[in-house]
Amino acid sequence: MQPSVPSFRVAVIGGGPAGLMAAETLALGGVQVDVYDAMASVGRKFLLAGRGGMNITHAEPYADFVTRYGAQAASLRPMLDAFGPADVRAWIHGLGVQTFVGSSNRVFPTDMKAAPLLRAWLHRVREHGVRFHMRHRWTGWRSDDGALVFGTPDGELTVQADAVVLALGGGSWARLGSDGAWIPLLQARGVAVAPLVPANCGFDVDWSAHFSERYAGEPLTTVAITSVGADGREFRRQGQFVVTSGGVEGSLIYALSAALRDQIAASGHTTMYLDLLPDLAPERVLDEVTRPRGARSLASHLQSRLGLKGVKAGLLRECLDKESYGDPHLLAHAIKRLPVRLVRPRPIDEAISSAGGVMWQALDGAMLKAAPGVFVAGEMVDWEAPTGGYLLTACFASGIAAGRDALAWLDSLHGQAGD
């Protein structure tokens, strides 16, 4: 939407994907945009996410894509409808960066890198007139006139803006700028904020010292996890993860982390059940375990007949008592359903992302009801998503939504002034 008077000035606070997308949207709408960020450069978490291959979005059917946002899918749906996975790919192509669909329908830039994409993006937004102000840490509003207050290397700075977009991130990876310091500032304005909690995170397990020393860092490939959801129904997912010195982490754990985290919050702990041989039926496992082994040790028998060795064999020893390990029927059952007790999620600063933030009921579209003219975007809003391009897609979509809502609000202000 193009404002009637292009002399409005909008401050975007936060230079991550959501903030940059809001800035681009606003600049295309004809307003002057200034981006402020506490760090020395923008997009730091974006660049970190690209170190292992820049997974930008996901190419599964859109109806399935939307469900990945869980309880907040309905709230995010209008933003995703306006800028979904296909739009993300078209936008990237418009920057001169090609993409391809990899395994599991994940979408990557052809060179798998984040830095060239970010450089092209920043070049384009600068061409649209967006100005950047680094090492400007937002500390709130001035009490007398509502001006924005920033701490800078040269001292305190105040800025007047016609509208503000906050895209300050959640609470993970504080050293990259997402430290949650904005929470008390918004709460002081009467904005409802849900506590930030880790998402896409690992969990602590009380391993024995022997198991931890021997198997820390070992990957568990081709396993499945069964757990119980908030509704009491079991869910199951197959993949891989890694044993750490104090617990578990990795892609399969991250995919289930929201449900596991919430179970721990409700009960103080939770138990996940490992299927160490998901490609074998329980009857086949029982048949092999009970097959006569002669003079071979049980460990040698399990390795010979079922391929169970290394960390998988170690887990059986770790999680079963001596009596259960020695009972063929109990052992066969445990191979397909081994209980692992999770005691707590890892700290939020270690998590890939966070959940919690500005609650949806505090918003009118993307605007704070308690602070007209202030819009929010990205991870600082109360939603979460698994890895696989879902996080970035929603950040892009919410940044565009905040930019468009800000333009509409500014246009309404000009209309009122004209009346």
Side-chain angles (χ1 to χ4, degrees):
M1 181 179 295
Q2 182 80 19
S4 302
V5 177
S7 59
F8 289 117
R9 182 182 180 188
V10 180
V12 175
I13 305 177
L20 292 177
M21 196 61 88
E24 183 172 20
T25 302
L26 286 159
L28 289 171
V31 301
Q32 175 59 55
V33 183
D34 289 270
V35 174
Y36 300 87
D37 197 282
M39 309 304 289
S41 58
V42 298
R44 292 201 166 193
K45 194 173 179 183
F46 181 79
L47 291 173
L48 179 70
R51 283 187 180 178
M54 183 77 258
N55 180 200
I56 200 77
T57 190
H58 207 281
E60 68 184 328
Y62 183 66
D64 296 329
F65 181 92
V66 175
T67 66
R68 308 306 180 195
Y69 297 91
Q72 306 302 336
S75 299
L76 278 168
R77 180 75 189 247
M79 299 180 186
L80 295 169
D81 285 349
F83 194 82
D87 302 295
V88 171
R89 296 189 72 183
W91 170 78
I92 293 173
H93 298 162
L95 289 170
V97 177
Q98 296 305 304
T99 61
F100 72 96
V101 179
S103 61
S104 304
N105 281 323
R106 295 178 182 226
V107 177
F108 301 88
T110 302
D111 63 4
M112 299 288 287
K113 297 177 180 179
L117 172 58
L118 181 61
R119 282 196 299 269
W121 191 7
L122 291 176
H123 177 74
R124 188 165 73 183
V125 296
R126 286 192 172 101
E127 284 188 329
H128 294 323
V130 175
R131 301 181 297 205
F132 289 86
H133 310 268
M134 297 296 97
R135 295 191 176 93
H136 281 58
R137 178 174 294 277
W138 180 58
T139 58
W141 290 275
R142 193 161 59 185
S143 58
D144 56 348
D145 62 357
L148 298 166
V149 182
F150 295 91
T152 80
D154 298 322
E156 187 175 276
L157 173 72
T158 58
V159 172
Q160 292 284 358
D162 298 294
V164 179
V165 175
L166 301 177
L168 292 160
S172 66
W173 291 89
R175 66 184 178 85
L176 300 179
S178 299
D179 57 10
W182 52 268
I183 292 176
L185 302 178
L186 295 194
Q187 288 177 327
R189 295 287 295 264
V191 178
V193 180
L196 296 179
V197 294
N200 294 295
C201 61
F203 292 86
D204 288 340
V205 180
D206 290 331
W207 301 130
S208 67
H210 170 77
F211 180 83
S212 177
E213 291 169 5
R214 185 166 183 178
Y215 295 110
E218 291 291 323
L220 277 153
T221 57
T222 318
V223 294
I225 292 176
T226 299
S227 190
V228 179
D231 57 4
R233 293 186 296 179
E234 287 193 343
F235 56 90
R236 175 184 169 93
R237 188 153 181 167
Q238 186 168 322
Q240 59 185 10
F241 66 93
V242 176
V243 168
T244 68
S245 60
V248 291
E249 64 178 30
S251 58
L252 181 56
I253 300 297
Y254 301 155
L256 302 172
S257 62
L260 296 172
R261 178 200 66 219
D262 292 347
Q263 291 161 24
I264 293 173
S267 305
H269 61 85
T270 192
T271 299
M272 66 178 188
Y273 297 91
L274 284 182
D275 185 344
L276 298 174
L277 298 172
D279 295 331
L280 295 185
E283 296 79 13
R284 167 73 185 283
V285 173
L286 178 60
D287 181 62
E288 297 293 352
V289 171
T290 56
R291 188 182 296 272
R293 57 186 172 93
R296 286 186 305 187
S297 68
L298 181 53
S300 295
H301 180 68
L302 293 177
Q303 180 174 343
S304 174
R305 302 305 307 181
L306 292 169
L308 283 172
K309 59 182 180 179
V311 65
K312 286 187 176 182
L315 274 168
L316 287 171
R317 285 287 195 181
E318 176 74 7
C319 298
L320 292 180
D321 56 38
K322 186 176 181 180
E323 179 181 352
S324 299
Y325 188 82
D327 184 311
H329 288 82
L330 293 178
L331 178 59
H333 177 74
I335 290 170
K336 296 295 291 180
R337 193 177 171 86
L338 184 67
V340 178
R341 191 173 187 264
L342 309 181
V343 294
R344 70 188 67 84
R346 293 298 300 159
I348 191 170
D349 199 43
E350 296 179 13
I352 293 174
S353 58
S354 60
V358 176
M359 300 176 74
W360 291 95
Q361 58 263 39
L363 298 175
D364 178 7
M367 186 171 70
L368 297 173
K369 293 178 181 177
V374 179
F375 303 81
V376 292
E379 266 194 82
M380 66 183 296
V381 183
D382 186 15
W383 58 271
E384 63 179 307
T387 57
Y390 304 103
L391 282 163
L392 274 176
T393 300
C395 283
F396 291 148
S398 67
I400 287 176
R404 289 174 176 170
D405 283 1
L407 289 172
W409 186 77
L410 291 169
D411 197 48
S412 71
L413 286 184
H414 177 68
Q416 293 171 12
D419 293 341

